[in-house]
Amino acid sequence: MGEPAIHESLPPRMPRQQVLLGAEICGFGGGAPTKHRIKDLSAGGARIDRAGTLRPGATVLVSVGVLKAVGATVVWVKDDLAGLRFAEKIDPDAARSKAIIAPPTPRPTQVTNQGATAGWVRDLSSPYRR
């Protein structure tokens, strides 16, 4: 018999969701954070675009959608795309949810004083009053 195929020794791949989310990546060495888009997402990782200067093996801090930042390792980079493996599992559904925003407070309606509109008071300042 032959040796087992390489893919058999890898852990099973988590289900992926195709998404289009914003992400911000910071290197642990410092530098300005970079903006990216997440193309697919799972509890254990993501595929992002605009890989730029990311290199396989690099450790980064990733803010995904509305979730807090999580550590990740760059697994692969190809054609300006990169695969990230998160250091801890995330909830993809929570990352896809919209940020909680307080409903706008209603502005008070402006009431203009129209004065009296009935009876003898309305004619008080009339130039045609007798």
Side-chain angles (χ1 to χ4, degrees), residues 13-25:
R13 192 174 194 194
M14 294 185 175
R16 304 221 179 293
Q17 299 175 6
Q18 288 190 357
V19 296
L20 189 57
L21 289 174
E24 193 171 88
I25 296 180

Side-chain angles (χ1 to χ4, degrees), residues 40-118:
D40 22 280
L41 181 66
S42 73
R47 176 175 55 112
I48 63 164
D49 68 357
R50 302 181 192 154
T53 61
L54 294 176
R55 299 289 170 248
T59 304
V60 295
L61 197 58
V62 183
S63 297
V64 179
V66 296
L67 297 180
K68 66 176 186 157
V70 64
T73 302
V74 179
V75 179
W76 58 266
V77 177
K78 182 179 181 185
D79 299 328
D80 208 30
L81 298 172
L84 305 177
R85 181 181 306 128
F86 300 136
E88 57 191 55
K89 291 184 180 182
I90 66 160
D91 180 358
D93 293 328
R96 290 174 42 188
S97 68
K98 297 201 184 282
I100 298 171
I101 300 173
T105 55
R107 294 190 302 185
T109 56
Q110 186 173 4
V111 178
T112 55
N113 187 359
Q114 297 176 353
T117 58

